[in-house]
Amino acid sequence: MSGVYDSQADIYLDARPTYPTDWYSKLAALSHRHNLAWDAGTGNGQAAIGIAEHYERVVATDVSETMLNLGKPHPKVTYHHTPSSMTEDEMVDLIGGENSVDLITVATAVHWFDLPRFYAIANRLLRKPGGIIAVWSYNTDMVVSPEFDSVIARFNAETLPYCKFPESDYFLGGYKTLPFPFESVGLGSEGKPIELEMKKTVSFEGFLRMLKSWSAVGAAKEKGVDLLSDNVVKELETAWGGPELVRTIIYKTFMLAGTVR
């Protein structure tokens, strides 16, 4: 699915919410050492840079060169393009070798991964004992205002037919069905992700940019369907309160964290 994001990477990255800094602090407190972290599916490196405040070195990888080209520079972060053609051994060697990684993070991306392959690599890389892996995401479940929430709920229902790819079940279901074969460390466990909140203050125009970045909207457009027609946008804008009004969106988020069993 990287192609959907590649075509509008700058829109996607400008619109997406920012992960709270205290998440990184909590994860760092769980790992025994703080030498090396790996941020997989890094995009523009938002999570990688947050992690870098707590680890000596961060390796940030992505299958999308377009997204990596938007990576924010940081002295502790190195970005690498990791196409799906890379072998497991090549991935392990690139990131740091077996039993070397203190923290692995995947922010709003693990549902796109080849999970058996990714988890096999993670198990080889994680330091034993004490290495931590954490995955998190958010979906279309959000709170703005009673007037707007009912309108966006109808819009979300319209997008569902274009979310009919296997990976969508994981994030639409709040990672409750996501396989996560790791020992719990108190921040969710397989089948029981911890529920969190993430806030973003934005104008309607900013919110609209985020909607345009949704994979379902892109998938519908490829099939000739415009989910964000002028009429739909006008209805959303009216319920929001106008294009210039700034509101706070509360995104319902979910996380799983663990260590090698």
PDB file of all heavy atoms in Angstrom, residues 31 49 80 87 110 145 173 188 195 198 203 229 242:
ATOM      1  N   SER A  31      12.809  -0.531  28.573  1.00  0.00           N
ATOM      2  CA  SER A  31      13.965  -1.253  28.028  1.00  0.00           C
ATOM      3  C   SER A  31      15.154  -1.144  28.983  1.00  0.00           C
ATOM      4  O   SER A  31      15.374  -0.111  29.611  1.00  0.00           O
ATOM      5  CB  SER A  31      14.338  -0.713  26.640  1.00  0.00           C
ATOM      6  OG  SER A  31      14.854   0.592  26.697  1.00  0.00           O
ATOM      7  N   ILE A  49      12.500  10.307  15.617  1.00  0.00           N
ATOM      8  CA  ILE A  49      13.067  11.487  16.272  1.00  0.00           C
ATOM      9  C   ILE A  49      12.628  11.556  17.730  1.00  0.00           C
ATOM     10  O   ILE A  49      13.403  11.945  18.610  1.00  0.00           O
ATOM     11  CB  ILE A  49      12.679  12.751  15.486  1.00  0.00           C
ATOM     12  CG1 ILE A  49      13.435  12.759  14.153  1.00  0.00           C
ATOM     13  CG2 ILE A  49      12.987  14.018  16.286  1.00  0.00           C
ATOM     14  CD1 ILE A  49      13.011  13.842  13.208  1.00  0.00           C
ATOM     15  N   HIS A  80      17.166   4.456   6.184  1.00  0.00           N
ATOM     16  CA  HIS A  80      17.543   3.444   5.195  1.00  0.00           C
ATOM     17  C   HIS A  80      16.312   2.978   4.429  1.00  0.00           C
ATOM     18  O   HIS A  80      15.267   2.692   5.025  1.00  0.00           O
ATOM     19  CB  HIS A  80      18.179   2.223   5.876  1.00  0.00           C
ATOM     20  CG  HIS A  80      19.478   2.503   6.549  1.00  0.00           C
ATOM     21  ND1 HIS A  80      20.682   2.564   5.873  1.00  0.00           N
ATOM     22  CD2 HIS A  80      19.763   2.743   7.855  1.00  0.00           C
ATOM     23  CE1 HIS A  80      21.656   2.822   6.729  1.00  0.00           C
ATOM     24  NE2 HIS A  80      21.126   2.943   7.941  1.00  0.00           N
ATOM     25  N   THR A  87      16.489  -9.695   2.153  1.00  0.00           N
ATOM     26  CA  THR A  87      16.302 -10.919   2.919  1.00  0.00           C
ATOM     27  C   THR A  87      16.283 -10.597   4.413  1.00  0.00           C
ATOM     28  O   THR A  87      16.688  -9.509   4.847  1.00  0.00           O
ATOM     29  CB  THR A  87      17.431 -11.909   2.640  1.00  0.00           C
ATOM     30  OG1 THR A  87      18.666 -11.368   3.163  1.00  0.00           O
ATOM     31  CG2 THR A  87      17.577 -12.174   1.144  1.00  0.00           C
ATOM     32  N   VAL A 110       2.343  -1.162  11.203  1.00  0.00           N
ATOM     33  CA  VAL A 110       2.585  -2.608  11.282  1.00  0.00           C
ATOM     34  C   VAL A 110       1.492  -3.409  10.578  1.00  0.00           C
ATOM     35  O   VAL A 110       1.730  -4.527  10.115  1.00  0.00           O
ATOM     36  CB  VAL A 110       2.749  -3.066  12.756  1.00  0.00           C
ATOM     37  CG1 VAL A 110       1.406  -3.191  13.465  1.00  0.00           C
ATOM     38  CG2 VAL A 110       3.519  -4.378  12.820  1.00  0.00           C
ATOM     39  N   SER A 145     -16.909  17.217  18.047  1.00  0.00           N
ATOM     40  CA  SER A 145     -18.084  17.860  18.650  1.00  0.00           C
ATOM     41  C   SER A 145     -19.284  17.011  18.295  1.00  0.00           C
ATOM     42  O   SER A 145     -19.253  16.264  17.302  1.00  0.00           O
ATOM     43  CB  SER A 145     -18.277  19.289  18.125  1.00  0.00           C
ATOM     44  OG  SER A 145     -18.682  19.247  16.774  1.00  0.00           O
ATOM     45  N   GLY A 173     -10.263  -2.498  13.628  1.00  0.00           N
ATOM     46  CA  GLY A 173     -10.636  -3.198  14.855  1.00  0.00           C
ATOM     47  C   GLY A 173      -9.798  -2.814  16.058  1.00  0.00           C
ATOM     48  O   GLY A 173      -9.860  -3.475  17.095  1.00  0.00           O
ATOM     49  N   GLY A 188      -0.619  -3.266  27.122  1.00  0.00           N
ATOM     50  CA  GLY A 188      -1.383  -4.070  26.190  1.00  0.00           C
ATOM     51  C   GLY A 188      -0.771  -5.441  25.985  1.00  0.00           C
ATOM     52  O   GLY A 188       0.392  -5.691  26.320  1.00  0.00           O
ATOM     53  N   GLU A 195      -5.698   1.212  25.358  1.00  0.00           N
ATOM     54  CA  GLU A 195      -6.355   2.300  24.645  1.00  0.00           C
ATOM     55  C   GLU A 195      -5.830   3.644  25.143  1.00  0.00           C
ATOM     56  O   GLU A 195      -5.742   3.875  26.352  1.00  0.00           O
ATOM     57  CB  GLU A 195      -7.876   2.206  24.828  1.00  0.00           C
ATOM     58  CG  GLU A 195      -8.463   0.949  24.196  1.00  0.00           C
ATOM     59  CD  GLU A 195      -9.969   0.867  24.335  1.00  0.00           C
ATOM     60  OE1 GLU A 195     -10.556   1.757  24.990  1.00  0.00           O
ATOM     61  OE2 GLU A 195     -10.562  -0.075  23.788  1.00  0.00           O
ATOM     62  N   MET A 198      -4.938  10.658  21.509  1.00  0.00           N
ATOM     63  CA  MET A 198      -3.957  11.522  20.857  1.00  0.00           C
ATOM     64  C   MET A 198      -4.715  12.738  20.322  1.00  0.00           C
ATOM     65  O   MET A 198      -5.734  12.593  19.643  1.00  0.00           O
ATOM     66  CB  MET A 198      -3.281  10.750  19.733  1.00  0.00           C
ATOM     67  CG  MET A 198      -2.241  11.495  18.957  1.00  0.00           C
ATOM     68  SD  MET A 198      -1.302  10.361  17.884  1.00  0.00           S
ATOM     69  CE  MET A 198      -2.614   9.582  16.935  1.00  0.00           C
ATOM     70  N   SER A 203      -7.283  23.454  11.868  1.00  0.00           N
ATOM     71  CA  SER A 203      -8.407  24.088  11.180  1.00  0.00           C
ATOM     72  C   SER A 203      -9.115  23.039  10.326  1.00  0.00           C
ATOM     73  O   SER A 203      -8.608  21.923  10.134  1.00  0.00           O
ATOM     74  CB  SER A 203      -7.919  25.217  10.277  1.00  0.00           C
ATOM     75  OG  SER A 203      -7.173  24.682   9.198  1.00  0.00           O
ATOM     76  N   SER A 229     -16.413  14.689  -2.517  1.00  0.00           N
ATOM     77  CA  SER A 229     -17.025  15.586  -3.510  1.00  0.00           C
ATOM     78  C   SER A 229     -17.281  16.953  -2.880  1.00  0.00           C
ATOM     79  O   SER A 229     -17.222  17.111  -1.652  1.00  0.00           O
ATOM     80  CB  SER A 229     -18.346  14.993  -4.004  1.00  0.00           C
ATOM     81  OG  SER A 229     -19.292  14.942  -2.937  1.00  0.00           O
ATOM     82  N   GLY A 242     -16.990  26.033   9.911  1.00  0.00           N
ATOM     83  CA  GLY A 242     -16.343  26.960   8.990  1.00  0.00           C
ATOM     84  C   GLY A 242     -14.911  26.587   8.716  1.00  0.00           C
ATOM     85  O   GLY A 242     -14.264  25.908   9.534  1.00  0.00           O
TER      86      GLY A 242
END
